[in-house]
Amino acid sequence: MKEVILLTGAPLNGRDEYACEALEGAGEIYQYYHVFDYIRRVAKDMGVKITRKNVLDFALNHSELMNDIRDEAFSRIRREIDDSEKDYHIVSTPALFRWGSGSVIGFTLSNLKLLKPERVIIVLDDILSVRRRIINDPEWFERFGSEENIKLSTLVMWREDAINHVKTLVHELKKEGIEVRYVLQFGIRHPKETFLDLLFHENEKPLVYLSYPMTGHEEEYYQRVRGFYEKLSEHFTVLDPGALDDWWVVAEYDNQVEKDPEIKKIHIKHLLDGNEVDELDREDIEQATEILRRQLVDRDFNLVRVSKAIAVYHYTQHVSAGVISEMAEAHRNFGAIYLYYPFKRRPSPFMEYYGMQNPSRKTMFKDEDEMIRAMVEEKEYWTKA
């Protein structure tokens, strides 16, 4: 049976680069459709030249013609899907973003009604990496004019607009009787193998959300979390909130403002390379932070809701408000909850209550391997929920 999967999100989040690299070893079971390639071919057939450099201005200045071109592009993709013998059909396009005085729409409700995606995956990168991608892209950098014009507040609003556009249209699809199984916000710091499991192996490796206290720990703690993630991933498709990490920008801002309350420029080393330094306006980070805080909670709850179970790796005695909130969200959505808490001291009564909600054993775990074995043995119970 054919399945259509829509990959989307805000522009310049590395969606196609990440997906195509991950799919290199996936074999012949899928077909990948980059909508912009179809838009260019349709435009050429209509005597119009659309390029990566002029597409935004063209879309804003010739909106009706652009709508016709986009609609025909989706029609061609639909026909190719219908004629294909492949099992999975992955359609990739940005959702929406604002540019200048208008908005450029990646797809409309009628496009989605034609496409009928079973799943929608919103592919996201952390906000500072998006900014760097723009700086290193000559065409995009020319649009902004200078590094100072590339504001974090703009980029978080791009993300906000894209996610809201997807949510709105999926809600409208449901009214039309077309069910999308889920919308998932996926960070591209996930291992490529996790992405492949998500696309192709969800039946054998159901979705599990990994919950853990994320800030204020030594490197040994994070190494243990990564090791647990790898062991859990042998059996499940494991969604990691740390695969999209904007909060370290806010944390570094807090540190520097605490040291110098009058500081105007915030200097932040990139989390991945640890060397290159970004100089950001304090006011810009403050504006972006209010949106980032909301997006962080929304994204993590989204991952909890689409998962069949939540695996809590609580290798610290300090209570994490985020972890308890995620456990509560899983409980509200009837997800199985497994808690690894290896200490003699009793945890918070709320954590203890939620941690006893795994299907049959009603227990917390002091051994991480024992917890994984229990999850595997009880998988048939919680995957049916």
Side-chain angles (χ1 to χ4, degrees):
M1 183 176 178
K2 296 177 184 178
E3 180 174 3
V4 178
I5 303 167
L6 176 63
L7 292 189
T8 188
L12 291 154
N13 274 240
R15 180 186 65 258
D16 287 304
E17 297 90 336
Y18 175 84
C20 291
E21 183 178 338
L23 288 164
E24 284 180 358
E28 302 296 323
I29 61 173
Y30 76 94
Q31 185 67 39
Y32 196 88
Y33 307 85
H34 189 189
V35 173
F36 184 64
D37 291 340
Y38 287 81
I39 286 175
R40 285 192 296 188
R41 291 199 287 269
V42 171
K44 184 178 179 181
D45 292 344
M46 298 173 66
V48 176
K49 185 176 182 180
I50 292 181
T51 66
R52 190 169 179 269
K53 188 172 184 177
N54 74 1
V55 62
L56 296 180
D57 291 334
F58 183 88
L60 292 171
N61 295 323
H62 307 281
S63 58
E64 291 188 10
L65 179 56
M66 186 65 189
N67 289 342
D68 292 340
I69 292 170
R70 185 192 59 243
D71 290 348
E72 176 58 24
F74 274 94
S75 294
R76 292 187 184 186
I77 290 171
R78 180 71 254 182
R79 289 195 292 271
E80 289 188 21
I81 292 172
D82 291 339
D83 293 339
S84 173
E85 296 182 355
K86 300 292 178 72
D87 295 326
Y88 297 92
H89 299 271
I90 304 165
V91 181
S92 175
T93 185
L96 174 147
F97 65 102
R98 306 192 189 283
W99 185 253
S101 59
S103 299
V104 178
I105 295 174
F107 47 84
T108 64
L109 179 61
S110 61
N111 298 147
L112 291 192
K113 287 172 66 175
L114 182 67
L115 202 61
K116 294 184 175 64
E118 278 80 8
R119 293 181 280 167
V120 178
I121 300 173
I122 302 174
V123 181
L124 301 170
D125 199 0
D126 68 80
I127 212 68
L128 194 54
S129 292
V130 175
R131 185 176 184 272
R132 288 191 173 192
R133 196 172 286 116
I134 294 172
I135 292 171
N136 294 322
D137 186 316
E139 292 177 355
W140 271 97
F141 187 75
E142 182 180 348
R143 289 188 178 105
F144 280 92
S146 69
E147 287 191 29
E148 291 72 22
N149 292 334
I150 309 173
K151 303 293 187 183
L152 295 189
S153 51
T154 299
L155 303 183
V156 296
M157 282 308 304
W158 279 11
R159 182 193 290 172
E160 188 94 340
D161 290 339
I163 292 171
N164 287 339
H165 183 65
V166 171
K167 288 181 177 178
T168 299
L169 293 193
V170 168
H171 180 71
E172 292 300 316
L173 274 182
K174 188 173 183 179
K175 292 182 180 179
E176 301 279 346
I178 300 173
E179 287 288 342
V180 174
R181 187 148 54 87
Y182 58 69
V183 176
L184 188 154
Q185 298 178 36
F186 187 84
I188 69 169
R189 303 303 168 200
H190 278 98
K192 304 295 192 303
E193 295 78 11
T194 299
F195 184 66
L196 294 180
D197 285 341
L198 173 65
L199 292 180
F200 306 131
H201 306 299
E202 190 184 329
N203 287 336
E204 313 94 81
K205 300 177 74 173
L207 297 180
V208 169
Y209 178 79
L210 177 59
S211 178
Y212 56 97
M214 293 185 62
T215 57
H217 303 285
E218 301 295 328
E219 179 58 27
E220 184 266 345
Y221 168 87
Y222 296 108
Q223 288 177 358
R224 289 188 65 102
V225 173
R226 287 192 291 271
F228 182 75
Y229 180 95
E230 291 171 2
K231 288 192 289 186
L232 198 62
S233 294
E234 294 176 12
H235 307 280
F236 307 107
T237 302
V238 186
L239 301 176
D240 179 5
L244 183 66
D245 189 3
D246 294 309
W247 201 244
W248 58 273
V249 176
V250 179
E252 189 58 33
Y253 159 84
D254 288 340
N255 291 336
Q256 295 184 32
V257 169
E258 184 177 357
K259 291 178 182 177
D260 179 6
E262 302 302 320
I263 194 171
K264 300 297 182 185
K265 296 288 185 179
I266 306 297
H267 296 84
I268 299 180
K269 288 184 179 181
H270 197 272
L271 184 67
L272 297 178
D273 60 41
N275 296 313
E276 191 173 349
V277 177
D278 290 84
E279 183 180 82
L280 303 170
D281 289 334
R282 172 178 176 169
E283 182 179 351
D284 182 36
I285 296 180
E286 290 172 346
Q287 292 176 359
T289 295
E290 296 307 310
I291 307 170
L292 284 173
R293 289 171 67 89
R294 181 175 67 251
Q295 289 180 349
L296 181 148
V297 175
D298 179 71
R299 179 188 70 245
D300 290 359
F301 280 0
N302 166 258
L303 297 180
V304 171
R305 286 191 293 267
V306 302
S307 297
K308 292 293 187 178
I310 174 173
V312 181
Y313 193 81
H314 211 283
Y315 189 67
T316 176
Q317 295 188 63
H318 300 293
V319 175
S320 167
V323 168
I324 292 180
S325 297
E326 289 164 355
M327 295 171 78
E329 184 69 12
H331 185 254
R332 279 193 293 271
N333 287 274
F334 306 104
I337 303 171
Y338 292 84
L339 170 61
Y340 168 69
Y341 182 82
F343 306 103
K344 292 182 179 179
R345 179 182 177 183
R346 295 171 69 91
S348 153
F350 292 94
M351 180 177 292
E352 185 177 45
Y353 171 80
Y354 291 125
M356 305 285 277
Q357 301 302 315
N358 45 75
S360 64
R361 306 186 187 210
K362 303 302 179 187
T363 185
M364 298 179 291
F365 294 86
K366 295 185 180 296
D367 182 282
E368 59 187 64
D369 294 322
E370 181 186 353
M371 187 172 93
I372 293 174
R373 285 195 298 271
M375 294 179 68
V376 173
E377 291 172 6
E378 297 174 357
K379 181 174 70 172
E380 64 177 289
Y381 296 104
W382 50 263
T383 54
K384 292 177 181 178

